[in-house]
Amino acid sequence: MKKILIFIMIPVFLTTVGEFILKFNINHLDASPKPHPHIQHVIDSIPFVSTPMSEKLTDAMMYLTTVAFHPGIVLAIACIVIGGVLWVLAMSKFELSFLYPFLSINYLAIVIGSQFILGESVSIYRYVSIVLIIIGLFFISKSPYSDSQ
Amino acid sequence: MIFKLLLVILVRTCTDISFKMAVYRLHFDSVSTLAANMKKMIASPYLWLGGFFGIANMLAWSFSLQEIDLSYAYPFLSISYVTIILSGKFLFHENLDKNKMIGIGFISLGAVILFLG
């Protein structure tokens, strides 16, 4: 039983912690990193592209490269992806109705952690909404996972 | 701001549909056909499309977290349960029983309260 709990809690822990690391690092990103002058020059020289359009394009490109090479964000995405794969493994081993309470931990931990670790102002509506989501997940988990069952 | 989250939900739904298409009607439970089915799965363009959507999903997700609270965005994404169950019903003719419908109802209500609150 203890082994089963560890097997299920690892993906729950990884995804929750991954989301916190992701949000923390995004909160502390440089607000508007400027592209390298050479890149800006190439984009500016493309004809028929209006300035605001090219600005948006460089912003998007800058954002993608920033995210793809930011060690904290890469670590966070790795945690979330590995957690997701382990969760699929857990789903192939155990019934969804057994896994459902652990899925609810994700929602609770993320909202509570957002308030107390990331310092977000969390209204009562957000807590009410996760209670409703958890009830909804409870009903979905009671449904058979295959028609052939 | 809400459009970014709706984009994440769309991409996440597309990821799951693609992966389901890749393994649709394949069986991994008997050893004799396992290798052949694995080959079919890896050769399926849907598997690679799913991987592409998966990467796009993480990018869109981190993009929306730039301006949206995690305590808002994460519960909001539970709408993907609704879109995925409905696509299971309409694309793969999966059974939509009473429990799933009640579950969808509660999750939608939760999302509405989140949105209005």
Side-chain angles (χ1 to χ4, degrees):
Chain A
M1 192 62 198
K2 211 177 167 189
K3 269 188 185 166
I4 293 174
L5 278 182
I6 293 171
F7 186 75
I8 299 171
M9 281 311 288
I10 287 175
V12 171
F13 179 77
L14 277 178
T15 43
T16 309
V17 170
E19 297 289 359
F20 287 143
I21 299 175
L22 182 66
K23 180 62 174 158
F24 178 83
N25 281 296
I26 287 172
N27 282 349
H28 292 82
L29 270 186
D30 186 4
S32 55
K34 284 278 162 279
H36 193 275
H38 290 321
I39 298 174
Q40 186 62 57
H41 180 74
V42 169
I43 290 166
D44 286 342
S45 67
I46 303 172
F48 308 118
V49 179
S50 64
T51 314
M53 176 82 172
S54 73
E55 256 174 28
K56 270 197 170 164
L57 197 69
T58 35
D59 280 357
M61 275 170 59
M62 279 309 296
Y63 182 73
L64 289 186
T65 45
T66 311
V67 165
F69 296 107
H70 190 294
I73 292 176
V74 171
L75 173 74
I77 290 179
C79 285
I80 295 169
V81 170
I82 294 169
V85 172
L86 292 178
W87 183 253
V88 171
L89 281 180
M91 283 203 290
S92 70
K93 276 200 151 183
F94 307 107
E95 297 230 4
L96 202 57
S97 51
F98 173 68
L99 290 176
Y100 142 80
F102 301 96
L103 198 52
S104 312
I105 295 176
N106 260 342
Y107 283 90
L108 270 174
I110 284 195
V111 173
I112 293 172
S114 298
Q115 183 169 10
F116 294 104
I117 300 172
L118 298 173
E120 295 177 0
S121 63
V122 179
S123 66
I124 186 77
Y125 295 102
R126 292 185 187 173
Y127 283 104
V128 173
S129 106
I130 63 165
V131 168
L132 288 168
I133 290 166
I134 288 170
I135 295 171
L137 287 174
F138 168 72
F139 278 102
I140 291 173
S141 74
K142 284 190 8 171
S143 178
Y145 60 83
S146 164
D147 288 346
S148 53
Q149 243 188 329
Chain B
M1 149 192 135
I2 207 82
F3 291 105
K4 284 187 179 175
L5 286 179
L6 292 177
L7 178 74
V8 180
I9 290 167
L10 179 72
V11 176
R12 183 167 289 193
T13 309
C14 288
T15 312
D16 282 4
I17 292 172
S18 305
F19 282 137
K20 179 72 181 176
M21 294 284 263
V23 295
Y24 196 45
R25 300 215 172 103
L26 298 183
H27 299 281
F28 297 93
D29 41 8
S30 86
V31 183
S32 54
T33 58
L34 184 70
N37 277 322
M38 286 293 269
K39 256 188 200 163
K40 269 190 198 161
M41 182 184 80
I42 291 169
S44 168
Y46 290 112
L47 185 79
W48 303 97
L49 190 65
F52 169 77
F53 277 129
I55 294 168
N57 173 42
M58 285 320 296
L59 289 175
W61 174 235
S62 55
F63 198 50
S64 38
L65 280 183
Q66 262 191 319
E67 47 183 283
I68 304 169
D69 281 357
L70 185 63
S71 58
Y72 183 91
Y74 193 82
F76 196 89
L77 265 271
S78 64
I79 295 178
S80 53
Y81 284 105
V82 179
T83 57
I84 288 165
I85 286 177
L86 290 180
S87 40
K89 156 95 179 146
F90 291 109
L91 294 177
F92 304 104
H93 313 289
E94 287 173 3
N95 192 24
L96 182 61
D97 60 16
K98 216 182 213 168
N99 281 326
K100 276 187 195 162
M101 284 197 272
I102 297 173
I104 286 178
F106 270 108
I107 289 174
S108 307
L109 192 63
V112 168
I113 287 177
L114 189 70
F115 181 67
L116 295 177

